């Protein structure tokens, strides 16, 4: 972040917060800039996928299960550079479809496909507008790991998931826990409360966490604003129920899914939920 946090982090104005599409357009530009970091991870991703490996956490593999013979098509929403998408292929999906709105991310995904020969299709789209030709075709819709925070209309997101699922399809979400935004480590590695307002709605920011994207070749002040929010657990579950998904399992996990809390003492980890998962199906 810059020297003056107010210049790089602020609440969205009421006008901004009222315009979902404009917030998504800004976030899309910011993610296209951030794809630069994923370019550096491409060689490792090629090696991982070629070796038959998976980038998914053990808990995700457990929730998704063995896809061999059970999954003609898996659709990964907010697929970024495709590493997690092709992990689903290595888990046994016959075909994978990755959806993301960043052209630069999907260029990387296409390079990953070319290098691995994976049966993958990349769809450039906002997840709120996935093409109707995909409707009813997903035996698995998978998403998460830093996805929901960028979305500004969860009801439309959930309706899109219900639309993509085949009649027997499953939905698996593994995502950062919203409560994660309320906790940080002090200099001794103990948990302390942040100033984040759990119920505040979208905030606009420039710059990226050093543990994740870090500095880009574009100076922070010149980067696009991006809009993010911690959707509460209640908002996520209510949106999925509103789309008539039948939820089978909602679980909270202490897993630090992006390494953002690695400066917390080991003995203090494990008592704060840092991620959660949801498994659901289409309601017939
Ligand atoms: C943190 S990444 C997703 C995590 C992914 N598993 C990975 O490999 O890192 C977030 C992705 O969501 C995409 N994204 C954000 N908002 C989106 C939207 N409304 N529609 C489609 N893609 C979106 C971004 O372009 C970015 O590639």
């Amino acid at each position: 972040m810059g020297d003056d946090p107010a210049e790089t982090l602020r609440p969205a104005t009421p006008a901004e917060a009222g315009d979902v599409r404009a917030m998504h357009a800004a976030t899309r530009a910011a993610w296209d800039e951030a794809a630069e970091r994923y370019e550096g991870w491409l060689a490792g991703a090629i090696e991982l996928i070629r070796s038959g490996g998976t980038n998914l956490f053990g808990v995700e593999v457990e929730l998704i299960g063995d896809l061999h013979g059970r999954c003609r098509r898996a659709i990964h929403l907010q697929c970024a550079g495709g590493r997690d998408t092709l992990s689903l292929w290595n888990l046994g999906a016959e075909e994978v479809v990755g959806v993301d709105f960043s052209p630069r991310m999907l260029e990387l995904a296409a390079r990953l496909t070319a290098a691995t020969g994976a049966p993958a299709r990349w769809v450039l789209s906002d997840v709120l507008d996935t093409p109707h030709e995909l409707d009813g075709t997903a035996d698995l819709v998978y998403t998460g790991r830093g996805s929901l925070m960028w979305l500004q209309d969860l009801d439309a997101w959930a309706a899109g998931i219900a639309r993509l699922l085949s009649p027997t399809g499953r939905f698996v979400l593994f995502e950062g826990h919203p409560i994660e935004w309320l906790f940080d480590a002090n200099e001794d590695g103990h948990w302390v409360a942040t100033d984040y307002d759990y119920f505040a709605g979208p905030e606009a920011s420039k710059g990226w966490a050093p543990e994740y994207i870090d500095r880009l070749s574009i100076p922070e002040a010149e980067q696009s604003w991006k809009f993010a929010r911690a959707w509460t657990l209640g908002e996520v579950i209510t949106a999925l129920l509103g789309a008539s998904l039948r939820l089978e399992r909602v679980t909270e996990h202490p897993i630090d899914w992006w390494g953002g809390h690695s400066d917390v003492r080991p003995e203090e980890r494990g008592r704060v939920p840092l991620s959660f998962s949801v498994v659901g199906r289409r309601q017939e």
Side-chain angles (χ1 to χ4, degrees):
M1 295 280 166
D3 291 341
D4 180 359
E7 286 172 13
T8 54
L9 181 66
R10 58 172 176 76
T13 65
E16 285 171 335
D19 191 340
V20 168
R21 295 295 167 170
M23 285 191 286
H24 279 206
T27 302
R28 172 176 147 133
W31 266 109
D32 225 40
E33 293 161 4
E36 173 185 323
R37 178 68 62 238
Y38 280 63
E39 278 161 15
W41 299 334
L42 179 63
I46 292 173
E47 206 177 309
L48 175 82
I49 298 304
R50 273 192 186 149
S51 71
T54 169
N55 189 53
L56 303 178
F57 288 108
V59 62
E60 293 180 282
V61 172
E62 200 184 301
L63 294 171
I64 290 166
D66 182 3
L67 297 178
H68 290 96
R70 294 174 52 215
C71 183
R72 281 182 308 275
R73 173 179 283 170
I75 298 183
H76 180 194
L77 299 179
Q78 296 177 244
C79 65
R83 183 176 48 178
D84 298 355
T85 322
L86 295 202
S87 297
L88 297 172
W89 175 51
N90 279 349
L91 290 182
E94 281 170 43
E95 182 203 38
V96 290
V97 177
V99 180
D100 202 284
F101 67 4
S102 157
R104 200 163 160 195
M105 285 291 197
L106 291 195
E107 268 169 43
L108 280 174
R111 283 166 65 188
L112 187 55
T113 318
T116 55
R121 207 175 127 193
W122 307 108
V123 176
L124 182 66
S125 167
D126 192 303
V127 293
L128 306 189
D129 306 318
T130 49
H132 284 285
E133 49 155 317
L134 296 175
D135 286 1
T137 68
D139 294 316
L140 172 71
V141 172
Y142 162 75
T143 191
R145 290 172 71 159
S147 292
L148 293 193
M149 61 193 280
W150 308 111
L151 304 182
Q152 304 300 336
D153 183 346
L154 270 202
D155 291 336
W157 164 78
I161 291 164
R163 181 162 68 69
L164 293 173
L165 284 171
S166 74
T168 55
R170 281 186 318 135
F171 165 63
V172 176
L173 166 73
F174 175 79
E175 187 51 287
H177 199 296
I179 212 167
E180 191 191 356
W181 294 48
L182 297 179
F183 292 100
D184 212 341
N186 68 10
E187 55 204 17
D188 298 325
H190 295 292
W191 289 112
V192 285
T194 65
D195 291 334
Y196 185 73
D197 177 347
Y198 193 65
F199 301 106
E203 59 180 25
S205 69
K206 290 186 180 198
W208 299 86
E211 301 88 347
Y212 186 31
I213 301 290
D214 204 4
R215 288 183 186 278
L216 298 172
S217 56
I218 308 172
E220 202 166 277
E222 291 166 32
Q223 290 175 21
S224 172
W225 285 104
K226 58 191 182 311
F227 293 85
R229 61 183 296 162
W231 290 104
T232 69
L233 215 50
E235 286 167 334
V236 177
I237 301 305
T238 303
L240 292 168
L241 292 173
S244 292
L245 286 171
R246 183 161 56 82
L247 303 188
E248 294 180 345
R249 193 168 158 179
V250 180
T251 315
E252 290 158 287
H253 311 275
I255 299 166
D256 185 3
W257 60 281
W258 65 293
H261 302 279
S262 51
D263 42 1
V264 172
R265 287 167 177 253
E267 65 271 24
E268 293 235 355
R269 288 190 220 135
R271 67 186 182 87
V272 172
L274 296 177
S275 42
F276 74 101
S277 58
V278 179
V279 178
R281 285 182 191 276
R282 218 168 95 165
Q283 193 124 255
E284 289 309 309

